[in-house]
Amino acid sequence: GHSMGGAGTLHLGAKHAQNWAAIAAIAPAAFRLEPASLDAVKDTLPVMVVHGDADTLVPVDIGRRWAEYMQANVKTQQYLEVKGADHGSVIDQGMADIFAWFAAHPKTN
């Protein structure tokens, strides 16, 4: 999910982890959502966050905050910061990596 959809991805991914093989949030507008919400799935759900460093709508610091938390607490995680990407261009620039992430983490049950 992108922007508000990215925040929704993080929220619903953690809440209904059994439905997903992996999740990916692009420039998540997770202004009120805490990274610790991933604690319930930290060992079971692969989580990826992609953010552009030129994003003026959802500051890259939000993506970096999630990345810092995930690196310390989530078993399978990835953060991709796209140099020069803004809130819209990060979608196209990050999509190949997101599809590769999903391909590397298929649902097994």
Side-chain angles (χ1 to χ4, degrees):
H2 174 248
S3 196
M4 288 302 292
T9 294
L10 295 169
H11 172 73
L12 292 173
K15 187 173 182 178
H16 301 285
Q18 71 281 3
N19 293 326
W20 317 109
I23 60 172
I26 308 168
F31 296 103
R32 292 185 174 181
L33 188 62
E34 290 298 322
S37 65
L38 297 175
D39 282 353
V41 297
K42 66 183 181 179
D43 295 326
T44 59
L45 183 67
V47 181
M48 180 180 197
V49 173
V50 179
H51 214 120
D53 71 353
D55 192 331
T56 57
L57 294 176
V58 177
V60 69
D61 289 344
I62 290 178
R64 290 174 180 161
R65 183 170 60 100
W66 281 82
E68 182 179 341
Y69 187 86
M70 291 184 332
Q71 288 169 355
N73 298 287
V74 177
K75 180 180 176 182
T76 307
Q77 52 75 33
Q78 182 176 348
Y79 175 67
L80 173 62
E81 190 167 296
V82 182
K83 185 172 175 62
D86 62 24
H87 196 66
S89 65
V90 71
I91 299 167
D92 287 338
Q93 294 180 41
M95 202 55 67
D97 291 295
I98 291 168
F99 284 127
W101 174 255
F102 288 146
H105 301 93
K107 192 147 179 83
T108 57
N109 52 5

